[in-house]
Amino acid sequence: MNVPSLLLAGGRWRCFPVPLGFSLFQGLHNSCCRKESNAPKKIIPHVDFSDENAKESGKALDKLFSSEQQASILHVLNTASNKELEAFTLLRGKKSLSIVEHREKFGPFQNLESLMNVPLFQYKTTIQVCNSILNPETGGKKRKLQENRLLRKLIKPEIGRERLKAINSIVSIVSGTRRIAWAHLDRKLAVLDWQQTEYCRLMKGTYLSSVYLEEISSVISKMPKADFYVLEKTGPSFQNSSLFPILLHFHIMEAMLYALLNTTFTQDGHHQVLSMNRNAVGRHFELMIGDTRTSGKEVVKQLLSESVLKEEPRVFFPLDKIVHYRQMFSSTEQYRVEELYDSLLQAIAFYELAVFNTES
């Protein structure tokens, strides 16, 4: 069968994001029919921001915070540097700089009301900033929740942050219609192994399980032991029914790899095999054009060059292997061996997006 060039060039599937909407009626229901809660509430009164009511708004701040809380907030506002103020989520960017400039020009803040004289600060903003100073952990919790949401979109199944932090090496695996490739990288982004294998008996229309089992088992037998094995996540169903055989092949490969890798390398009953969002890797290396991912060949070529030319390259290819890898790349450069390139890029993106970004 003829396989479209886009599929062989690395754009083997496309992701169609589903927009998330919010129902108007749901919003009205939530605003009008909220249940009473026994938890203490922070009430932010409605304020008219006209000049005649500005003073009343400022005085209202004193009623929302105790004298001890006001003293703590003013101490931070009057002594913290610009960098220290940016540690609070709501004071990042121009707000922290505006506070420092106002303090240098007009002297220390005498009360919370005077904070409303700073550009970008109105009554509601001032209350939110004061609360964030009194409860700095809130911003950290929000950032952690955001990181966890991004991680869930990037990797399946879910994995604890502690296990990610402890990773020493991974094997990144990408399979196509004619070959499978893998890259073994440690946490220093040193390439320990990088190779590919072609299979000729698959995609013949029969999809014999025994043939897949034999081929994939042979490939796995050559793979080194690692903390995790990262597979490229299979995309959604193709709209074109003629491409169904390709989709079926990818699903069989993914299922076989999951089963055999977990059986071969399982440790303490934990999942050792993860799948990673293909388009997320593409966006990380700026390879996406709309929903289509372009070839990673030039990125890999640049990484190989930097490993020789730069003192601290992004990816380190050991000196005893760099010649072999450069020769391997040169011999395949005229062909479209996207699996080879993608396996390396996926490993790099896994460390940079999932491991390093979660370390505190």
Side-chain angles (χ1 to χ4, degrees), residues 125-352:
T125 305
T126 301
I127 294 176
Q128 292 173 337
V129 167
C130 291
N131 280 325
S132 70
I133 292 175
L134 292 173
N135 303 284
E137 72 279 0
T138 302
K141 288 180 180 178
K142 287 182 178 179
R143 286 194 296 275
K144 286 183 180 179
L145 288 173
Q146 185 177 17
E147 286 178 358
N148 290 336
R149 283 195 297 268
L150 293 174
L151 197 59
R152 284 194 292 270
K153 292 180 179 179
L154 182 69
I155 298 171
K156 299 289 183 183
E158 292 185 26
I159 175 175
R161 292 164 60 88
E162 293 303 318
R163 291 188 69 195
L164 281 174
K165 291 180 183 180
I167 286 177
N168 291 313
S169 74
I170 65 167
V171 172
S172 169
I173 306 167
V174 174
S175 60
T177 55
R178 292 185 300 178
R179 64 182 63 86
I180 185 170
W182 71 91
H184 185 201
L185 271 69
D186 65 18
R187 68 181 299 112
K188 295 180 180 179
L189 293 188
V191 180
L192 308 177
D193 190 18
W194 185 32
Q195 56 181 289
Q196 66 172 353
T197 297
E198 294 199 7
Y199 34 69
C200 305
R201 295 186 295 165
L202 307 183
M203 291 289 295
K204 295 296 184 180
T206 53
Y207 300 99
L208 293 175
S209 299
S210 58
V211 176
Y212 273 89
L213 181 62
E214 182 180 346
E215 290 279 4
I216 298 174
S217 296
S218 175
V219 173
I220 290 177
S221 67
K222 303 174 185 177
M223 292 183 181
K225 189 174 182 179
D227 294 312
F228 283 97
Y229 297 81
V230 184
L231 307 180
E232 189 175 60
K233 184 178 179 182
T234 303
S237 302
F238 291 111
Q239 299 299 315
N240 188 341
S241 59
S242 65
L243 300 180
F244 174 77
I246 301 172
L247 181 64
L248 177 61
H249 164 76
F250 285 135
H251 279 298
I252 294 175
M253 289 292 294
E254 185 179 32
M256 285 279 188
L257 285 167
Y258 260 104
L260 293 175
L261 285 168
N262 268 318
T263 301
T264 305
F265 299 107
T266 187
Q267 294 179 11
D268 302 324
H270 291 298
H271 265 294
Q272 298 302 117
V273 185
L274 305 172
S275 60
M276 189 168 184
N277 188 298
R278 171 179 171 78
N279 283 357
V281 178
R283 285 190 291 271
H284 187 59
F285 289 100
E286 299 182 350
L287 297 176
M288 299 300 296
I289 300 179
D291 293 327
T292 303
R293 179 169 157 179
T294 59
S295 173
K297 180 177 71 174
E298 293 303 318
V299 177
V300 172
K301 185 176 183 180
Q302 182 179 356
L303 293 172
L304 283 164
S305 298
E306 289 178 353
S307 182
V308 177
L309 300 176
K310 287 189 175 183
E311 185 176 349
E312 295 184 2
R314 183 174 183 178
V315 180
F316 176 71
F317 294 86
L319 293 177
D320 60 333
K321 295 183 178 181
I322 183 64
V323 174
H324 168 69
Y325 291 141
R326 287 174 67 88
Q327 289 175 345
M328 179 179 68
F329 179 85
S330 299
S331 65
T332 60
E333 193 172 4
Q334 58 181 322
Y335 306 106
R336 310 184 92 166
V337 289
E338 297 302 322
E339 297 84 2
L340 184 65
Y341 312 141
D342 290 351
S343 63
L344 179 64
L345 297 181
Q346 180 174 260
I348 299 168
F350 180 87
Y351 276 113
E352 294 180 344

Side-chain angles (χ1 to χ4, degrees), residues 34-86:
R34 294 190 180 95
K35 294 182 179 179
E36 290 296 327
S37 173
N38 294 325
K41 299 179 180 178
K42 293 180 180 177
I43 302 175
I44 301 176
H46 172 73
V47 179
D48 182 359
F49 291 105
S50 61
D51 293 338
E52 61 188 34
N53 289 321
K55 290 185 179 180
E56 292 299 322
S57 303
K59 291 178 181 178
L61 290 170
D62 296 336
K63 300 177 182 180
L64 295 176
F65 302 97
S66 67
S67 57
E68 291 81 4
Q69 289 175 327
Q70 293 180 46
S72 298
I73 296 168
L74 290 172
H75 176 74
V76 172
L77 295 174
N78 289 327
T79 61
S81 65
N82 180 45
K83 186 175 181 180
E84 290 170 335
L85 288 171
E86 284 192 334

